[in-house]
Amino acid sequence: MHDDLIARAQTWLAEDPDPDTRDELAKLIEAGDLTELADRFSGTLQFGTAGLRGELGAGPNRMNRSVVIRAAAGLAAYLKATGHTDGLVVIGYDARHKSADFAHDTAAVMTGAGLRAAVLPRPLPTPVLAFAIRHLGAVAGVEVTASHNPPRDNGYKVYLGDGSQIVPPADAEIAAQIQAITSLHDVPRPTTGWQTLDDSVLDAYLARTDAVLAPTSPRTARTVYTAMHGVGRDTLLAAFARAGFPEPALVAEQADPDPDFPTVAFPNPEEPGAMDLAFAKARETSPDLIIANDPDADRCAVAVQQGADWRMLRGDEVGALLAAHLVARGAQGTFAESIVSSSLLGRIAEKANLPYEETLTGFKWIARVDGLRFGYEEALGYCVDPEGVRDKDGITAALLITELASTLKEDDRTLLDLLDDLAVEHGLHAADQLSVRVQDVTIIARAMERLRENPPTSLAGLPVTKAEDLTRGTDKLPPTDGLRYTLDGARVVVRPSGTEPKLKCYLEVVVPVETHKDLPAAHARANEILTSLKQDLSTAAGI
């Protein structure tokens, strides 16, 4: 075992094109650090529907140039096998460690395989890449990003020519092509031959952002904005300036791209503490709302003043607000969301006589809905311009929610007032999440197994009227690793995260509301049920 491990590490070292990871691996081999070597060589980062994502470092179980070159070669082989022998592959990247290297390695591999490659001019938001694929008529796109993961991670997201992320069976077919690569020496990587794009693609994306707003809408809402140390700032400021909104007040400490994310433990607006600096800026400047992007700017968080302080709106609340705003503007087309998002969207669509679809988790599914007009996911992802970007887009979502805040401001109303109106009209839809981050991923598998073997018959005193194991699929959904419980007045979905070592439980309670006077009691009742649901579910899952 010991000799085999050292031999595999030495073979890998001989092929590694990156002096940083070569140096790292050589030191581990020299020190005979078998624990660390075993961790890096115990498996291979698996290519799936989220592409690749993992910790940076040397070896097949880490994100590094060797792993990325193999992934790019597998994608190139897949594209050629599916008839795209000389198609264009467009490549974008964020400002994380090694992102630019991974992007240029991908361009070299595509060029070496006889495809055409074009790289975006600098680190830019993921939605710009998703836009560029269709704008340039590419056969595929790659975005190098780990989105809102910790600083030590990076990732590799693959889109096909329709501009949406890969879904089965493409992921397995690309993974098989990656497996077939025996040595990096077999992968041609010329040093030139691809195109570095100029700003015309970004300009075309920005021109398109104007289209999400109503031509004569008010543009008066004042915002505080944080880029969360990511790449959103310049693109968002340009979009807001074009639209004629007041210039956002920036959270200066988080405005510049910084791959070390020094002010946040996790660069995700949903994580505790991530919005603290934005709240502090809002207390100084009294804006109408706070807007935050995650580091690759495909998500958008919104916070509002409630009483004396500020609070983050849940993704489901922003989804409902955007849907109501689009309905009020006369939008036509299908409204769609994932199974873990609030059932309120379905009620809004039904009342407006609009088609409604529920999909599996992830924009790779939402973006594929026929006739999509608006799609969202509770994890702060919104697609408000599916013709331009078939993915979540934190820039256009920020524009649309700021337009809504401006429209309400004209009548001396706020986003919270509109949420109250929606609760009275459709019932109070209150959501919460029980999210458990683990060091040992077997804990997640054990919890899922326990729930499958002993499904709860009641939670929070409410009978479970339907228990579904989603691995079997439903009449509307393909199979996925998840469980869904329908209760009398509530719903619970349990699933392992696709991108992080987390078990996620999504809870929703619906409390009928007669009038605005009944809202405080309805909120109290909803909180009581949600607290009880969390406790009972923890017990049932053994977490």
Side-chain angles (χ1 to χ4, degrees), residues 94-97 146-153 227-231 256-268 294-296:
D94 67 12
R96 283 177 179 263
H97 292 296
S147 188
H148 56 281
N149 274 39
R152 64 177 181 272
D153 290 3
M228 207 67 62
H229 299 295
V231 299
D256 293 330
D258 187 333
D260 294 319
F261 304 103
T263 68
V264 285
F266 289 95
N268 177 355
D294 68 336
D296 68 327

Side-chain angles (χ1 to χ4, degrees), residues 335 337 342-352 354 356 426:
F335 280 28
E337 65 181 341
S342 170
S343 56
L344 178 54
L345 184 71
R347 300 200 177 184
I348 292 170
E350 186 183 10
K351 179 125 195 221
L354 291 173
Y356 165 76
H426 302 288

Side-chain angles (χ1 to χ4, degrees), residues 205-290:
Y205 167 81
L206 285 168
R208 176 106 210 157
T209 61
D210 300 351
V212 305
L213 303 174
T216 57
S217 63
R219 311 279 164 94
T220 53
R222 291 169 49 253
T223 53
V224 157
Y225 172 70
T226 176
M228 207 67 62
H229 299 295
V231 299
R233 177 193 61 198
D234 294 350
T235 306
L236 182 127
L237 289 179
F240 268 57
R242 286 181 69 101
F245 286 113
E247 187 178 346
L250 298 179
V251 177
E253 302 93 325
Q254 298 175 333
D256 293 330
D258 187 333
D260 294 319
F261 304 103
T263 68
V264 285
F266 289 95
N268 177 355
E270 290 179 295
E271 292 282 347
M275 295 288 285
D276 287 357
L277 288 168
F279 290 164
K281 185 74 177 175
R283 288 182 203 113
E284 275 172 41
T285 56
S286 301
D288 297 298
L289 70 165
I290 299 171

Side-chain angles (χ1 to χ4, degrees), residues 305-310 416:
Q305 189 161 10
Q306 186 165 36
D309 214 348
W310 287 80
L416 293 177

